[in-house]
Amino acid sequence: MLQHKHLIIRSEITKPPKNEDQIVEWAKQLIQSIGMKIMMGPYAKYCKMPGNRGFTCVTIIETSHIAIHIWDEVKPALVQLDVYTCGDLDKGKVFDALERWDPVKVEFKYLDREKELIEV
């Protein structure tokens, strides 16, 4: 049975990734740990525009998508992460994956989007 779960995380971290390969590897490990299947990606790129410097990484998974943006210009660095899936999601494993970057603050919303936007 399809589900429509959306985990939205805002986090401040002290050890952001240093290059595109690091964030791609992080995404692959996260996707494996939550039992999802990659269809395309992960694709990562660093934006050098002042005021918007940082990484974006997106992956199309069999059950939807994962997108992460990390602004490393600010201290601590800012993470915005979306994990949207039509399958089961162990959100604890997503929080565990963030530990690699030494979060000092983590906020999140976990939504059920099946029929309405219901916070779970």
Side-chain angles (χ1 to χ4, degrees):
M1 180 173 123
L2 288 180
Q3 301 179 43
H4 295 275
K5 297 295 195 295
H6 193 168
L7 179 61
I8 303 165
I9 297 175
R10 181 194 184 279
S11 183
E12 295 172 5
I13 59 173
T14 62
K15 296 178 182 174
K18 302 289 186 204
N19 59 55
E20 292 161 359
D21 291 339
Q22 286 180 346
I23 195 168
V24 163
E25 188 57 35
W26 178 88
K28 287 178 182 177
Q29 290 176 9
L30 168 65
I31 292 162
Q32 180 180 20
S33 77
I34 60 176
M36 302 297 166
K37 182 180 174 187
I38 294 172
M39 292 181 69
M40 292 181 68
Y43 302 107
K45 197 68 180 164
Y46 189 84
C47 176
K48 297 177 183 177
M49 184 176 76
N52 197 37
R53 287 189 178 105
F55 294 99
T56 295
C57 181
V58 296
T59 308
I60 298 170
I61 58 175
E62 190 172 63
T63 54
S64 198
H65 71 270
I66 295 174
I68 186 166
H69 309 278
I70 301 174
W71 289 268
D72 59 7
E73 206 168 14
V74 295
K75 302 295 182 226
L78 174 62
V79 172
Q80 299 280 7
L81 171 63
D82 281 14
V83 179
Y84 183 82
T85 179
C86 298
D88 288 324
L89 177 62
D90 180 348
K91 66 181 186 296
K93 291 182 179 181
V94 179
F95 294 117
D96 290 346
L98 283 175
E99 288 297 319
R100 176 182 291 181
W101 298 325
D102 193 27
V104 293
K105 182 177 183 180
V106 178
E107 299 174 289
F108 74 96
K109 298 285 183 189
Y110 189 43
L111 303 172
D112 182 341
R113 296 172 54 172
E114 178 70 28
K115 301 204 185 303
E116 298 176 28
L117 293 178
I118 300 171
E119 203 167 327
V120 290

